[in-house]
Each structure stands twice: as C-alpha cells, then as structure tokens.
Amino acid sequence: MDQHTYVAILAGGVGSRFWPGSREARPKQFLDMLGTGKSLLRLTFERFLPLCPAENIFIVTNEAYHDLVLEHLPELTTENVICEPSRNNTAPCIAYTAFKLAALDPQANFVVAPADHIILKQDVFVETLQKALAFTAENDAIVTVGLQPTRPDTGYGYIHFGESVNGDVRKVQRFTEKPNLQTAIEMIDTGEYLWNGGIFVWRAEYVKQAFETFAPSIYNLFQAGEGLYNTPDEAEFIANEYPKSESISVDYAILERADAVYTIPADLGWSDLGTWASLYEESEKDLNANALIGGKVLLSESDHNLIRMPHGKIAVIRGIQNFMVIDEGDVLLIYPKDKEQEIKQVTAQVKSAFGDTYL
Amino acid sequence: MDQHTYVAILAGGVGSRFWPGSREARPKQFLDMLGTGKSLLRLTFERFLPLCPAENIFIVTNEAYHDLVLEHLPELTTENVICEPSRNNTAPCIAYTAFKLAALDPQANFVVAPADHIILKQDVFVETLQKALAFTAENDAIVTVGLQPTRPDTGYGYIHFGESVNGDVRKVQRFTEKPNLQTAIEMIDTGEYLWNGGIFVWRAEYVKQAFETFAPSIYNLFQAGEGLYNTPDEAEFIANEYPKSESISVDYAILERADAVYTIPADLGWSDLGTWASLYEESEKDLNANALIGGKVLLSESDHNLIRMPHGKIAVIRGIQNFMVIDEGDVLLIYPKDKEQEIKQVTAQVKSAFGDTYL
C-alpha cells in the first residue's frame, strides 16, 4: 500500500430507476441490492481496502447523506465525508476532491469510482488499479479503467483504445457517448473498444492542472479557496461557492478534451446495476430462472422473476412469469420485468396520486 | 331494549383459510377484513348495540385472545370475556355461556352469533332478532335465523322450514349439512330452504333444559359447577372441567335433535367471509373488477384481483389477472384467486419450509 494512494467514492446519486428500492432519502448505494447483508457503498469501500488504509478513502456525497455514509462505514470519520452542498454533476465534485487531497498531500494519487457498481473479480480489480496508480504516480496522466464489453449496449460510453505505451496502459484515441445499436455492434466487432465505467486514476495536482487547462471556470472557483481546504473555514467557503459551479460531467469537462488520457483494459465482472433488469442479470437464479434477493420465498409455477423481499419477510407466490416483485418499506411493486424502463413514469404517477411520501 | 336480553359472540376460531391475514396469534375476527378501520369482531359487537346495553354482550373466546378482545372492545371489562380453556367446538361453549347467564339472570334471553361474519342489512338484522327474542321470551324454543340462500353453496348447512307458528316464526322441519351440488340446487328450487348461519336465540334456562335432554354429559359437566358461576371460584372449576367436555357442535348436539326449533327467514346481506374469494365477492370493485382493501393501489392492465395492503403502504401493480395479493405483516402472498382452496396446503408448506413463525 502506497501512503500517497487515496480513493474518492462518488456516492451522491439517487438511482431513481431502482424505485421503490431506492428513495430520495435512501439512494441505491445505501441498499443491500444483492442480498449479501452489505450495501453497495459498503461493498465498494471494502473493495478498496487492499489499496490503501481506510482513512485514505473519501466518500463524496450530498450533504443529506452524510450521516447515512457514516452509518454504513463506521470505520470512517466525518473528515472522510466530502459533502456537495448541491448536485452539479461529477466535474465540480472531482475538482473539489482534488483540491482537498492536494492540500492534504501534494503527492496524492487517487482513484475515483462510483459507489453503486458491482465488480465480481476483486483480484483483477486490485491488480488493474495498482498498474494505473503506478503509471499516474510517474506521469501527468489520466487513466480510465476500460471495461471489456459483453454486449452492444447503447447506454454506455465507449473508449477507443490505441497502442500500448507501458505494458497494459494504452493511449485513448476517442470517447464515444451512448452510440446507436448499429454503431455499438460495429465498435464491439473491431475489438478496439471498451466501456467507460467511470473509474479514473490520476494525481490530485495533475487533476488541478487539467481543470486549469480544460475547465478554467471550475478551476478558478475552487482555486479561490486555496488555503481553506481541510480547515474549519472550508465548509463556509464550499457552502457559498460550490453551488455556483457549472454543472457538467468530468467526461465532458476533462476526459474528452485532454490528451494525456490512457486506459487499461480489464475484465472485472463489472455491472453498473443501472436497472432492476441488470440486477436480475447479475443475480444467481434458481432452476426456474428466478432471482430471489433477501427474504425467503416459496415459489410454484413461476419463472424468470426477480423477487426482492425485506429481511425476515416471506413471500408465497404462484403462477407469475417475467415479473419483478419488489417489497420495500411502504411500497410493493409488482411489474412486468421487461417494462422496467417505465419506472420513472411510475414514480411520477405515484407522486401525482399519493404525493412525495413514497418517493 | 329488554333488560333480559343478552348476546354471546363466539370469537374463538382462527379462520386459517384467511392466512396470511389471519394468524394463530391474531385470528380473522380481529382483522379489519373490509378496510373499514374496524375489525370483524368490532363490527359484530356494534351490530348488537341496538338490542341491549354493551355490558350484556359477552365474548366467548379462547383464553389466548382475552387481551385482544378487550383491545378491540374497550367498552367491555374482563367479566364480559368468557374464556374457553380448550377448543371443544360450539356445544360446550354455548352450554357454559347458558349456565353463566342463567346464574346471572334466570330470565336471560340471548342471541348466539359468530364474531366473523358480515351482515350488510343492519335494520333487517335488528328487526329479525327482536322478533326472535320476543318469541323465545314467551316460549321454550330455539330460534335460528334462516338466511335467504343466494346460490347452491355446498359448504353450508340448510334449514327446511315448515308452516308459520307466529308471524314470521316458522317451524324447522329438518337440517341438512353440506349437501352435494345437485341436492343444493333442488333444495333452493323448492323455495323452502334457508342457510343456517349460526345465529341462534333462546333463553338460558331453556338451553340448560335442552342440554339436559339431548346432551346430558355436557349438561352434567357444567351442572356440577352450579353455585360457582360468576364467583371467584368459577375460573378454577372451568380450567379443570371444561377440557373434559365432549367436542361437538351445538348443531349436532341440540338443534338437529330438539323439537322446539324454529326459524325466521331473513335476507340480511349475510356472508360468513369464509375464504378470500368470498371477501372478493363481498367487496366493492373498481371498473376492472379489482377489489382493493386497505392501502392505496396504482393498477394498470390488471383485472379481477383482490388486493389487500396494510394501512399506509402503497402497491403499484401492472399486468395481473385473477390474483390475490395479500401483504400482511411478515408475509406477502401472490396467488391465483381461483386456487384459494390451496391455502391450507400452502400454510403446511410454509411451516415445513420456515417453521411456525409465519403461521
């Protein structure tokens, strides 16, 4: 473990496509999505422990979730929770983190990763990040982990990689956001494209430089707080200034503009668990292709269902196919699994029928 | 209101066909089956208030439910709760009640009725019982309320009525238990048959006489406690003796053997709410024939379902037909409505898979 290695876990989203599992007051990353007894945030945190000590792991989240983070990660203290006073997408939250880490340790070399993805191949994950960290420690570079695509998904960003510059580290030629299906199929056929899963590695000082060059308004905003980071005055400065920042993703603000962008291709057994259907895909199934998560279920004449019950509750179900049954707190959802893209409309209907209570 | 009028509400059953609504620790009569905010026991109790003061209403139940009864009927005191120390069917519990009431008031004239039925026509109900009570006050007679049959149900007992002896009061010619379908159809076609709904009217002293004549072993058992009823010594006597009683229904023990048995035909809007399907039949439906009980439900592409949700919980359901969805405490049941006769097997499977916890 290198003492200059840090991790920033981005945990500010809501994951509204996982309603009624996810709620505004308890987003997806705080849920035990896999029925393992651990939340996604907890699993993500533990995944990084082979790389650096717990105190080097920072959770970047909305102020509203500060206490929830410490509940899920009791090893951490409030210093490890970086709170955004507003939701302005990933560029400002990563810039803020870089300014804080650079002030803490000018040699800080860090990984940024989402809190709510799953990675089945822990060993490959650690090994890949070690390579990336070794590279960025020595180079002014951004390394993004390039995930081996498993299907022509039109919902992801794709990385076109070029020649190797250092072992597994390859130059990124181009990023392509959410292609159409035909393009996605063609890209995968070339064997030269990877998915961008939002896992980036870089030094804090270099991130600051990159913002200065490619997103100067964000750079200037946070540069004005120089000397305040990690002091009692930081909170007031951030509360006043952060919400003024441009709302833009780090992909658009930096990655697609910078030159020194590299990727390490890796098969991590990755899923962003974007929807209930992807949870179904990633879950173990019974003999009738039912995925049963949490709770205890007595099933008959039922197949290809996703059934998620709270701990200690049982379900007795007969005669349903291709449904999702999500029993979560004050909401029960029984819905065709292949209609899960309607969840956002459903929550709008729920809001209009019953108010905000159930969101 | 006649001061000698009393009511005995039989509330000792479990109603296991209503699992997971009914549980051993909280039987059907303690449930708000109709989503009115009142349990069936509460509705039954209130139904009798026009006939006699609350303190004349006695609840005959299993010892295990003593506290639950007083919770649902806070107007009553422990003196109004008659506890059976064991489940020995209706004959001993009615004999016990008759001995207690006769000791309290030698002119006691009382109604026996189940706690868990529904009666929609309250006015007809009160009027019918007033006629019955007037008749039994003056005569050594058993009057059973004869319910107008609405279908050739093979699950009920039928009353063949004869000539009028006093206005609406008619002599009973014969009882027929659970006929086959052909017989049920024929009986209904004659227009001379009624359903026996277990609502009986009689004087306590005459009930004692009837037991002495037709069920002497039960009579002798309770007669041995003469002088102890409604005293501090009653409880010990009952705890010791009651469980020794024959286990038999009052229909077999008395009604089918006695001569002075009468009926008053009445259309009460009655249902014994014997099963989830009967609850569906009795409930109001939406435009797609869904019965929604309790909770709030957002339904699409769904029809002919029975959906019962706890208060404060919502269900969002799409694409199911002819199902029952019962969300009750630590159990969720999703089952074809026309398979509800399997509920007893289901509870056996639940017991074998998960133990007694959920029964």
Side-chain angles (χ1 to χ4, degrees):
Chain A
M1 290 202 274
D2 188 304
Q3 56 164 323
H4 300 299
T5 296
Y6 296 83
V7 173
I9 298 175
L10 305 188
V14 169
S16 55
R17 283 175 299 179
F18 272 102
W19 186 89
S22 56
R23 307 290 178 94
E24 285 176 8
R26 197 196 40 182
K28 174 188 164 201
Q29 58 271 23
F30 298 105
L31 298 179
D32 173 13
M33 292 302 292
L34 306 171
T36 58
K38 293 178 179 178
S39 65
L40 292 175
L41 173 62
R42 177 84 218 166
L43 292 174
T44 301
F45 172 78
E46 292 183 358
R47 196 176 290 140
F48 284 106
L49 291 177
L51 286 170
C52 67
E55 60 265 30
N56 284 19
I57 301 179
F58 290 79
I59 315 299
V60 189
T61 190
N62 194 276
E63 276 179 356
Y65 309 135
H66 173 276
D67 295 354
L68 214 45
V69 166
L70 293 180
E71 217 174 88
H72 284 245
L73 308 175
E75 298 93 331
L76 299 189
T77 64
T78 189
E79 280 70 38
N80 292 85
V81 188
I82 302 180
C83 290
E84 326 156 89
S86 60
R87 287 201 170 93
N88 295 27
N89 211 327
T90 50
C93 87
I94 288 172
Y96 175 25
T97 303
F99 273 88
K100 269 183 77 77
L101 292 181
L104 208 61
D105 175 358
Q107 295 181 65
N109 189 21
F110 74 110
V111 183
V112 169
D116 55 355
H117 295 177
I118 60 171
I119 282 165
L120 300 176
K121 301 185 183 172
Q122 167 70 4
D123 292 350
V124 182
F125 176 75
V126 170
E127 201 184 304
T128 305
L129 289 179
Q130 278 165 338
K131 286 178 195 164
L133 287 159
F135 186 74
T136 57
E138 302 295 328
N139 297 279
D140 281 349
I142 305 173
V143 176
T144 157
V145 175
L147 303 156
Q148 289 295 354
T150 53
R151 58 183 184 275
D153 200 296
T154 58
Y156 297 145
Y158 285 74
I159 301 166
H160 187 195
F161 64 85
E163 76 277 17
S164 161
V165 294
N166 182 332
D168 294 330
V169 183
R170 289 166 172 276
K171 191 82 176 65
V172 169
Q173 298 196 297
R174 209 164 80 101
F175 288 96
T176 305
E177 271 305 303
K178 300 182 183 174
N180 61 39
L181 183 60
Q182 187 51 39
T183 309
I185 292 171
E186 286 166 14
M187 289 194 300
I188 290 197
D189 281 350
T190 66
E192 295 173 4
Y193 285 83
L194 301 164
W195 286 340
N196 178 7
I199 307 172
F200 310 123
V201 183
W202 39 26
R203 268 177 300 107
E205 282 296 350
Y206 179 64
V207 176
K208 286 171 62 176
Q209 271 182 46
F211 271 93
E212 189 172 14
T213 310
F214 301 108
S217 76
I218 296 178
Y219 174 80
N220 291 334
L221 187 144
F222 289 103
Q223 177 59 31
E226 197 68 61
L228 304 177
Y229 294 108
N230 312 311
T231 77
D233 296 325
E234 175 184 337
E236 197 193 334
F237 169 75
I238 288 296
N240 291 331
E241 300 304 317
Y242 191 102
K244 299 176 189 165
S245 163
E246 201 179 342
S247 180
I248 183 173
S249 77
V250 75
D251 303 70
Y252 284 118
I254 305 295
L255 270 76
E256 300 185 9
R257 300 176 187 177
D259 287 324
V261 184
Y262 302 86
T263 186
I264 301 180
D267 174 8
L268 301 181
W270 171 90
S271 166
D272 69 345
L273 279 185
T275 63
W276 287 118
S278 69
L279 176 60
Y280 174 78
E281 294 306 327
E282 296 301 323
S283 299
E284 280 189 46
K285 320 286 192 303
D286 70 9
L287 291 175
N288 298 307
N290 296 294
L292 312 177
I293 299 166
K296 302 169 193 162
V297 184
L298 210 59
L299 271 178
S300 53
E301 298 184 14
S302 299
D303 55 83
H304 295 85
N305 300 293
L306 169 67
I307 299 169
R308 178 176 157 86
M309 299 295 298
H311 183 73
K313 185 164 182 175
I314 66 168
V316 177
I317 297 176
R318 174 172 172 153
I320 62 171
Q321 281 81 37
N322 293 303
F323 269 84
M324 48 190 190
V325 174
I326 315 292
D327 186 342
E328 193 88 34
D330 52 8
V331 179
L332 172 65
L333 178 72
I334 303 176
Y335 219 79
K337 192 153 49 65
D338 61 2
K339 294 280 190 296
E340 54 131 34
Q341 72 281 9
E342 295 176 3
I343 289 296
K344 288 209 175 193
Q345 291 143 256
V346 165
T347 54
Q349 285 166 17
V350 165
K351 185 177 172 137
S352 121
F354 308 129
D356 288 338
T357 317
Y358 303 99
L359 301 186
Chain B
M1 288 202 276
D2 188 305
Q3 55 165 322
H4 300 300
T5 295
Y6 297 83
V7 172
I9 297 175
L10 306 188
V14 169
S16 55
R17 283 175 300 180
F18 271 102
W19 186 89
S22 56
R23 308 290 178 96
E24 286 175 7
R26 197 195 41 182
K28 174 188 165 201
Q29 58 270 23
F30 299 104
L31 298 180
D32 173 12
M33 291 303 291
L34 306 170
T36 58
K38 294 178 180 179
S39 65
L40 292 175
L41 173 63
R42 178 83 217 165
L43 292 174
T44 300
F45 172 78
E46 292 182 358
R47 197 175 290 138
F48 284 107
L49 290 177
L51 286 170
C52 67
E55 61 265 31
N56 285 17
I57 301 178
F58 291 79
I59 314 300
V60 188
T61 191
N62 194 276
E63 275 179 357
Y65 308 135
H66 172 276
D67 295 354
L68 214 45
V69 165
L70 293 179
E71 217 174 87
H72 285 245
L73 308 175
E75 298 93 331
L76 299 189
T77 64
T78 189
E79 280 70 39
N80 293 85
V81 188
I82 302 180
C83 291
E84 326 156 88
S86 60
R87 287 199 170 96
N88 295 28
N89 211 327
T90 51
C93 88
I94 288 173
Y96 175 26
T97 303
F99 273 87
K100 269 183 78 78
L101 292 181
L104 208 61
D105 175 356
Q107 295 182 64
N109 190 20
F110 74 109
V111 183
V112 170
D116 56 354
H117 294 178
I118 61 173
I119 283 166
L120 300 176
K121 301 184 182 173
Q122 166 72 2
D123 293 350
V124 183
F125 176 74
V126 170
E127 202 183 304
T128 304
L129 289 179
Q130 279 165 339
K131 286 179 195 163
L133 287 159
F135 186 74
T136 57
E138 302 295 328
N139 297 279
D140 281 351
I142 303 173
V143 175
T144 158
V145 176
L147 303 156
Q148 289 294 353
T150 53
R151 59 184 184 276
D153 199 296
T154 57
Y156 296 146
Y158 284 73
I159 302 166
H160 187 195
F161 65 85
E163 77 276 17
S164 162
V165 293
N166 182 332
D168 293 331
V169 182
R170 290 169 171 274
K171 191 81 177 67
V172 169
Q173 297 196 297
R174 209 163 81 100
F175 288 97
T176 305
E177 272 304 305
K178 301 182 181 173
N180 63 37
L181 183 61
Q182 187 51 39
T183 307
I185 292 170
E186 285 167 13
M187 290 193 300
I188 290 197
D189 281 349
T190 67
E192 295 173 4
Y193 285 83
L194 301 163
W195 286 339
N196 178 8
I199 308 173
F200 310 122
V201 183
W202 40 25
R203 269 178 299 108
E205 283 295 351
Y206 179 63
V207 176
K208 286 171 61 178
Q209 271 182 45
F211 271 92
E212 189 173 12
T213 310
F214 301 109
S217 76
I218 296 178
Y219 174 80
N220 291 335
L221 187 143
F222 288 104
Q223 178 58 31
E226 197 68 61
L228 305 177
Y229 294 108
N230 313 310
T231 76
D233 297 325
E234 175 184 336
E236 196 193 334
F237 169 75
I238 288 295
N240 291 331
E241 299 304 316
Y242 192 103
K244 299 177 188 164
S245 162
E246 203 179 341
S247 181
I248 182 173
S249 79
V250 74
D251 303 68
Y252 284 118
I254 306 294
L255 268 77
E256 299 186 9
R257 299 177 187 177
D259 287 324
V261 183
Y262 302 87
T263 187
I264 302 181
D267 174 8
L268 302 181
W270 172 89
S271 166
D272 68 345
L273 280 186
T275 63
W276 287 118
S278 69
L279 176 60
Y280 174 79
E281 294 306 328
E282 296 302 323
S283 299
E284 280 189 46
K285 320 285 191 303
D286 70 9
L287 291 174
N288 298 308
N290 296 295
L292 311 177
I293 299 166
K296 301 168 191 162
V297 183
L298 210 59
L299 271 178
S300 54
E301 298 185 15
S302 298
D303 56 81
H304 295 86
N305 301 294
L306 168 67
I307 299 169
R308 179 175 157 86
M309 298 295 298
H311 183 73
K313 184 163 182 176
I314 66 167
V316 177
I317 296 176
R318 174 172 173 154
I320 62 171
Q321 281 80 37
N322 293 303
F323 269 84
M324 48 190 190
V325 174
I326 315 292
D327 187 342
E328 193 88 36
D330 52 8
V331 179
L332 171 65
L333 178 72
I334 303 177
Y335 219 78
K337 191 153 52 61
D338 62 1
K339 295 280 190 296
E340 54 131 34
Q341 72 281 8
E342 295 176 2
I343 290 296
K344 290 211 173 193
Q345 291 144 256
V346 165
T347 54
Q349 286 165 16
V350 165
K351 185 178 172 135
S352 120
F354 308 129
D356 288 338
T357 317
Y358 303 98
L359 302 186

